[in-house]
Structures are given as C-alpha cells and as structure tokens.
Amino acid sequence: MELTNISTVKDILSRHGFSFSKKLGQNFIIDPSICPKIAEMGNAGEGFGILEIGTGIGVLTKELALRADKVAAVEIDKGLLPILDETLAGMENIHIINADVMKCDLRRIIEEEFPGLRTAVCANLPYYITSPVLMLLLESRLPIESITVMVQKEAAQRLCAKVGTREAGAITAGVSYHGTARKLFDVSRGSFIPSPNVDSAVIRIDLNKEPLLDEETEKLFFRIVRSGFSQRRKTLSNALSSLMGIEKSVTQSILRELSISETVRIEAMDMDQLILFTKKLKEQE
Ligand code: SAM
C-alpha cells in the first residue's frame, strides 16, 4: 500500500472513520522522499533496533522496518491501531505499543524489544511535546546511539545552535551536554496532511558514549542552566542568587578565577565555560 499517495491515505482514514487530532500534533507525511531519507540518515540498518515515537498511519514505521532488524513504535492514539493493522500487515519486525511516550518505561522497552541490538530513535515528533520528549530521551541515560527527529524549523535552529550564541537556550545546553546535534534537511509544510502552519526540519543528535560529569555534578549543571536561561537578561550572578540562593560573591569569584567577566550573562558562556563553572561551584558545596 502506497502510504504517501494522498487518495490512498484519505480512503483508508475515511474507511476507519479517523479524524485528525490537532491536540496530538497529527500531521502525517505525504511526500514520498522524506521517510526513506530519515530512515537512512537515522541509523535504521542491520544490527539496529529503532524506537519510533508517534506512528500516524505508519509511513515512517514502514521505511524503518524495511531497513532495521526491529522497530518498536509508541503511539498514543488508539484510533490508529486498526489502520496500522492494515497499513503494516505482513511486516513481522514491528511492535506497536499503544501508550503515551511520556509515561513509558523506555529503558524496559529497549531491553525487551532490542536484545543484542544497537538502538536509535527515529520520529516525526508531535510538536507540542518536542522539548519534553527530547529531554526525556537525553536525561534518562538510555543506551541510545542517535536521535533523528523531525521538529519545527525554529526548534531545529535552537537545538542545533552553538552554546554561547544568541540562538541558544536551555534546551541547546541540554543537547550539547549529551551529544552533538546537526540539521540534516528542511521539510516544507506542504509535505504533510493536514498541512501545518510552520515549516519543519530533520535533525540528528549523536549521543556521547560517556556522561561528561558525575551524576551529582550533572544535576547541578542542569539547575544552573535552567536558572540562568529562565532569567537570561540578568547577569549569571544575579540569576543564580535569586533562583538558587547562591551568594553573588561566590559566583563572581569563580568567574574571576576562570577569567570570565563578573557581569556575564549565561547566554554569552560557551559549553566549556559552563562545565568548568559547574565543577568549581560543586567543589565549594
Ligand atoms: N510518524 C507519522 C508521520 O510521520 O506521518 C506521524 C507523525 S505525527 C507528527 C505525530 C504522531 O505522534 C501522531 O500519530 C500522534 O497521535 C502521536 N502522538 C502524539 N502525542 C503522543 C504521545 N504523548 N505519545 C505517543 N505518541 C504521540
């Protein structure tokens, strides 16, 4: 079945009485060139188990399953299950899990679904939960090698920005801490049914094999990042003083030690500076 043929898609959706949910971010890909590219650039291949988030009618799921050893796909909408039975019929290496990804035990899913396989994530993410899903995937220290996802174009810019530049935010620091992100290609709004109001882009994050900091220092790093960026117009010392109760003199003396201006804002600090600052602050606790 041709899942990017618009009349085939409309036919199957209407036969099953399916209507799109805006709330669940349901915009399905109908451009035939996109899913094969996501699969190929996203590690779907021999020896890999792929975790997909949000199947829609299975257009990407199918391309992943044609290349990888196994696909486990989490889909929240029960109404899509009978459709997937039809669109993915005969493909034995796919397991659909009907659940909310934010409530799943992803570690258990990976262990149970992909024994002996390497793991990667590929998805056309529901945009309303892009950041929470990415932070969940990154912060859970899962045995994942890469995350290849379609996100809104603006989100892609932020996620792939360099820490220390104006485009960066807390999520940029989170991604840079855990790995390396790059944009793969743009996708226009006309590539979806229904067509969303924004353009999209596919990005890939390659995850570090080892964490940069021990668990306690890592927690401190993320508290600093969240506090600093939630008051990004303030100096770092003011932001950390008001949100974390850290004496301004402590922050300022560490900054001096690192040859960074005492009046620096977090948005001007690069990744190395943020890591060094965190380590020094941890030493003083
Ligand atoms: N992969 C399909 C495609 O590319 O055509 C569908 C992508 S669509 C942008 C997002 C999908 O995520 C929808 O099928 C939606 O029902 C599902 N979804 C939304 N929220 C979810 C959640 N919390 N957990 C799992 N799936 C979710």
Side-chain angles (χ1 to χ4, degrees):
M1 190 183 295
E2 190 43 78
L3 298 181
T4 48
N5 179 301
I6 193 139
S7 46
T8 310
V9 175
K10 281 185 172 160
D11 171 62
I12 192 162
L13 294 178
S14 82
R15 273 195 289 110
H16 287 271
F18 179 86
S19 47
F20 290 97
S21 159
K22 214 171 176 176
K23 202 176 96 209
L24 292 177
Q26 291 179 338
N27 302 95
F28 300 163
I29 297 173
I30 44 145
D31 176 336
S33 69
I34 292 168
C35 293
K37 270 208 293 202
I38 297 179
E40 269 153 32
M41 297 170 102
N43 264 339
E46 229 180 280
F48 270 90
I50 304 289
L51 176 67
E52 188 193 1
I53 296 154
T55 59
I57 64 166
V59 61
L60 175 59
T61 323
K62 184 177 166 187
E63 296 300 329
L64 296 171
L66 286 172
R67 294 166 175 83
D69 287 10
K70 175 92 193 273
V71 176
V74 182
E75 170 55 57
I76 197 170
D77 188 348
K78 228 186 187 143
L80 286 166
L81 302 185
I83 297 179
L84 291 164
D85 280 344
E86 202 177 317
T87 57
L88 303 176
M91 301 194 83
E92 303 296 337
N93 61 341
I94 300 174
H95 182 200
I96 307 287
I97 300 159
N98 180 214
D100 177 346
V101 68
M102 296 307 295
K103 296 185 183 148
C104 282
D105 182 346
L106 294 176
R107 184 172 298 279
R108 193 177 55 77
I109 292 178
I110 291 170
E111 274 166 19
E112 285 178 7
E113 303 281 344
F114 307 140
L117 295 178
R118 296 160 72 186
T119 302
V121 172
C122 289
N124 171 13
L125 284 181
Y127 293 162
Y128 75 103
I129 45 168
T130 299
S131 297
V133 169
L134 287 177
M135 287 325 288
L136 176 73
L137 292 170
L138 293 169
E139 286 179 4
S140 313
R141 297 197 174 197
L142 300 168
I144 293 173
E145 293 188 26
S146 63
I147 301 173
T148 304
V149 281
M150 172 121 60
V151 298
Q152 285 187 5
K153 205 167 171 181
E154 268 182 21
Q157 265 153 11
R158 186 159 280 244
L159 291 163
C160 299
K162 203 168 157 8
V163 175
T165 64
R166 286 194 87 76
E167 296 78 47
I171 186 94
T172 321
V175 169
S176 301
Y177 175 82
H178 289 287
T180 310
R182 69 197 155 97
K183 186 161 101 169
L184 298 180
F185 58 93
D186 289 324
V187 179
S188 72
R189 62 193 76 188
S191 306
F192 302 87
I193 173 176
S195 169
N197 297 328
V198 288
D199 292 320
S200 302
V202 177
I203 64 161
R204 171 166 161 159
I205 305 170
D206 285 287
L207 295 167
N208 299 333
K209 290 204 170 61
E210 297 296 332
L212 296 180
L213 298 169
D214 66 67
E215 226 165 316
E216 285 308 307
T217 316
E218 182 178 304
K219 278 187 197 147
L220 180 63
F221 173 83
F222 281 102
R223 285 181 64 210
I224 292 168
V225 164
R226 273 191 285 268
S227 305
F229 279 102
S230 72
Q231 299 197 340
R232 60 187 297 158
R233 310 307 303 163
K234 283 192 179 174
T235 63
L236 183 72
S237 62
N238 278 335
L240 299 193
S241 152
S242 70
L243 293 173
M244 290 173 67
I246 296 167
E247 300 258 355
K248 286 183 200 171
S249 59
V250 171
T251 301
Q252 285 162 353
S253 99
I254 297 174
L255 289 172
R256 264 199 312 278
E257 217 183 309
L258 297 175
S259 306
I260 302 170
S261 160
E262 286 175 28
T263 57
V264 74
R265 293 175 180 161
I266 198 162
E267 60 186 13
M269 292 172 77
D270 66 24
M271 200 57 193
D272 289 345
Q273 291 175 328
L274 285 173
I275 295 278
L276 280 173
F277 178 84
T278 306
K279 284 184 178 165
K280 295 267 179 210
L281 187 61
K282 184 76 191 147
E283 280 166 21
Q284 305 215 358
E285 273 188 351

